[in-house]
């Protein structure tokens, strides 16, 4: 993925979700984008929460998404179907649910919206 | 000085989570063996007068200790030297600017390193301290990372550090992560006192000094059932001073066929880590056992792993193995990994393949090779999605206690090598293959590091700064 495509993805996510930062550990690695203020559907809190996206093989491959470990419901319970996973030195929640690929329109913003929709349906 | 550098480079003062923590005295510098050797060969060459260089470092907070993790070495190049005599070296402001810019790009701290001609108790001179205060305190404020100056002597090192422009304490020690682990304190450590009587036979084999190294050592064992329980038992017999068993499960009936120390009365009631505490304490009540009842990478397990000298992974998942490997890379932690894969057809064993891997900074890691290829990880993700292991009807992988024991014993030989250097550099980082059917254990050497390896890309990064 060339630098311009990386820049476009980060800019599009920042535009849609408030803030986005390229946190890729080195140039040869797939693009990692930190989303510090990601809206999480009710009843989950905190919202906004921190999210992390990884674009490996974009746009042929579905991006991967994680949310911060602090996200719980009103009773303090964690969402279902998740595992703690270490990514970039920090523990995140990874979910087993998925969504069909490719999507239409095929944009980073719509990929994340689709993931958030599935998150709301499944959890 | 810092204002003009900031103006030239456009470096803005950074705020890191670490900056808000209370000031702690004493800083560890952690560096891989090959990197340390390269550093020494430069600064200990006095043919043309004093030499120096800049070590750019990631940061971690390990319990009560600040740790700077070597990432990149920038020796002062000839064209940037402006004055040199028998004592002292100065460099151009342009080099200082280059170092600051590079450290900023890496999100790293800066340690200025030079040598005082192999003195047994080195110390920073007045000039050294002036330079540190003038330049490195400013760097620490700009970079939001501890920065300092270190002088090497003869198996000893001293240094001073700054955080946010303020004094942050002296160098506690340099940890050289290799086989063996080596520690350079401000003065050469005194010879050890009386060795432990119970280790008399082992000391006869590998020396009394090994006893002292082992007593001071701490080892985390991640997963303490089939392989890890053997490992804990042997580490205790070997005399390791602090053992950190990590596991989140209770003993189950099916564990009794392979878990050392577990008894029928433990089934469904005793945490596996508690069985390890009992086992280890029965061998030597002096050993400090720190049970961590959790699953890697829960935060308490990460915090515990950061505090040890060596990690031994005995997990049955490639995905967890990948994460342990990545974490060890980030923190320059030596990692020993064991695993066994048994295949059967109609209850007849057709393959019993195992591995034992020692990964050190600068050597190939687990992710550099096909053991943890993308395909392997993807296959496990599909076969064992999150929550899979909570399904009580899921079939467990076949295992044989004696085969686990072979790998665990060899892992403990490597642990002994990393902690004491008994093998005199004949082991070190390498891969061993095991065929449990034929009874063959083969040293396959160390493969090269893979260009583009995602775990090696994070080597020395330390704590996450994504917050």
């Amino acid at each position: 993925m060339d630098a311009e495509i990386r820049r476009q993805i980060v800019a599009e996510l920042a535009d849609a979700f408030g803030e986005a930062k390229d946190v890729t550990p080195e140039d040869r690695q797939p693009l990692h984008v930190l989303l510090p203020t990601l809206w999480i559907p009710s009843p989950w809190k905190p919202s906004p929460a921190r999210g992390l996206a990884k674009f490996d093989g974009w746009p042929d491959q579905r991006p991967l998404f994680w949310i911060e470990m602090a996200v719980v419901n009103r009773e303090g319970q964690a969402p279902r179907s998740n595992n703690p996973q270490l990514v970039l030195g920090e523990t995140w929640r990874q979910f087993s649910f998925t969504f069909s690929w490719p999507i239409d329109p095929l944009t980073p913003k719509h990929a994340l919206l689709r993931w958030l929709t599935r998150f709301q349906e499944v959890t | 000085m810092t204002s003009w550098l900031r103006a030239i480079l456009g470096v803005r003062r950074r705020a890191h989570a670490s900056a808000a923590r209370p000031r702690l005295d004493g800083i560890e510098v952690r560096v891989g063996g090959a990197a340390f050797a390269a550093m020494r060969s430069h600064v200990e060459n006095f043919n043309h007068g004093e030499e120096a260089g800049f070590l750019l470092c990631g940061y971690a907070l390990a319990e009560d200790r600040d740790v700077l993790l070597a990432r990149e070495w920038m020796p002062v190049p000839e064209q940037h030297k402006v004055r040199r005599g028998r004592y002292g070296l100065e460099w151009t402001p342009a080099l200082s600017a280059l170092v600051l810019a590079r450290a900023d790009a890496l999100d790293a701290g800066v340690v200025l390193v030079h040598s005082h001609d192999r003195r047994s108790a080195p110390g920073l001179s007045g000039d050294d301290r002036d330079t540190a205060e003038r330049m490195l305190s400013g760097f620490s404020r700009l970079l939001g990372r501890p920065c300092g100056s270190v002088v090497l002597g003869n198996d000893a090192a001293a240094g001073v550090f700054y955080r946010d422009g303020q004094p942050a304490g002296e160098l506690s020690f340099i940890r050289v992560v290799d086989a063996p682990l080596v520690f350079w304190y401000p003065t050469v450590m005194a010879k050890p006192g009386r060795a432990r009587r119970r280790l008399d036979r082992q000391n006869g084999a590998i020396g009394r000094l090994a006893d002292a190294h082992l007593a001071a050592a701490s080892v985390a064992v991640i997963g303490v059932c089939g392989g890890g329980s053997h490992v804990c038992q042997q580490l205790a017999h070997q005399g390791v001073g602090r053992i950190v068993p990590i596991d989140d499960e209770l003993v189950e009936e099916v564990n009794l066929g392979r878990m050392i120390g577990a008894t029928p009365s433990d089934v469904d009631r005793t945490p596996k880590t508690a069985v390890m505490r009992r086992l280890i304490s029965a061998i030597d009540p002096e050993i400090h056992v720190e049970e961590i009842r959790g699953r890697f990478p829960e935060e308490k397990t990460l915090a515990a792993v950061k505090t040890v000298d060596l990690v031994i992974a005995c997990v049955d998942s490639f995905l967890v193995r990948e994460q342990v490997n990545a974490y060890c890379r980030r923190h320059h932690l030596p990692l020993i990994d064991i695993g066994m894969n048994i295949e059967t057809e109609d209850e007849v064993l057709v393959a019993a393949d195992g591995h034992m891997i020692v990964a050190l900074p600068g050597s190939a890691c687990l992710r550099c090779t096909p053991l943890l290829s993308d395909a392997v990880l993807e296959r496990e993700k599909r076969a064992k999605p999150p929550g899979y292991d909570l399904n009580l009807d899921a079939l467990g992988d076949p295992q044989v206690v004696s085969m686990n024991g072979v790998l665990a014993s060899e892992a403990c030989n490597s642990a002994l090598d990393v902690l004491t250097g008994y093998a005199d550099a004949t082991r070190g980082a390498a891969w061993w293959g095991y065929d449990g059917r034929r009874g063959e254990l083969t040293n396959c050497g160390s493969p090269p590091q893979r260009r583009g390896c995602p775990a090696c890309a994070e080597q020395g990064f330390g704590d996450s700064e994504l917050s």
Side-chain angles (χ1 to χ4, degrees), chain B residues 52 114 195 218 221 224 246 261-262 276 323 367 373 412 426 441 461:
Chain B
H114 71 294
S218 58
V221 183
V224 292
I246 299 173
M276 291 304 101
Q323 294 170 69
R367 194 78 166 90
S373 67
C412 289
T426 57
L441 190 67
F461 275 40

Side-chain angles (χ1 to χ4, degrees), chain A residues 72-93:
Chain A
V72 291
N73 64 14
R74 289 189 193 93
E75 286 74 45
Q77 291 164 331
R80 285 185 297 158
S81 308
N82 85 90
N83 254 3
Q85 189 177 18
L86 188 79
V87 191
L88 300 182
E90 185 177 328
T91 308
W92 299 82
R93 287 196 195 287

Side-chain angles (χ1 to χ4, degrees), chain B residues 127-211:
Chain B
D127 284 350
D128 294 339
R129 288 186 181 272
D130 286 348
T131 304
E133 192 170 347
R134 202 175 61 242
M135 185 176 86
L136 295 161
S137 67
F139 277 17
S140 75
R141 201 166 54 241
L142 285 167
L143 296 166
R145 296 286 196 200
C147 294
S149 177
V150 165
V151 57
L152 306 182
N154 188 15
D155 295 339
V160 63
F161 289 86
Y162 295 86
R163 184 189 294 108
D164 281 340
Q166 300 299 315
E170 307 268 322
L171 175 75
S172 294
F173 54 83
I174 297 178
R175 178 197 300 256
V176 184
V177 184
D178 208 340
L181 282 169
V182 175
F183 297 85
W184 281 29
Y185 292 91
T187 54
V188 177
M189 298 301 279
K191 294 279 182 218
R194 208 158 61 88
R196 288 172 284 185
R197 170 72 179 146
R198 78 170 181 88
L199 296 175
D200 203 39
R201 299 295 188 272
Q202 181 175 284
N203 294 340
I206 62 174
R208 284 201 319 153
L209 191 57
D211 186 338

Side-chain angles (χ1 to χ4, degrees), chain B residues 1-11 100 133-142 165:
Chain B
M1 176 177 172
T2 52
S3 58
W4 68 261
L5 275 174
R6 188 166 39 217
I8 291 171
L9 298 169
V11 175
L100 184 61
E133 192 170 347
R134 202 175 61 242
M135 185 176 86
L136 295 161
S137 67
F139 277 17
S140 75
R141 201 166 54 241
L142 285 167

Side-chain angles (χ1 to χ4, degrees), chain A residues 38-59:
Chain A
L38 185 64
W39 170 81
I40 304 286
S42 177
W44 304 106
K45 60 179 185 177
S47 183
R50 291 184 313 127
L52 182 68
K54 178 179 170 185
F55 293 83
D56 192 0
W58 173 267

Side-chain angles (χ1 to χ4, degrees), chain B residues 220-233 235 243-249 251 255 258-262 271-277 279-280 291-292 294 312-316:
Chain B
V221 183
I222 304 177
V224 292
C225 195
S229 58
H230 283 275
V231 169
C232 286
Q233 184 189 41
L235 293 176
I243 301 174
V244 183
I246 299 173
D247 206 305
D248 71 331
E249 294 180 343
V251 175
N255 300 145
R258 64 183 193 280
M259 185 176 171
I260 306 301
K272 290 177 178 175
T273 52
V275 174
M276 291 304 101
R277 174 189 289 280
L279 179 71
I280 294 165
E291 269 181 77
I292 304 293
I312 303 182
C314 309
V315 300
D316 53 10

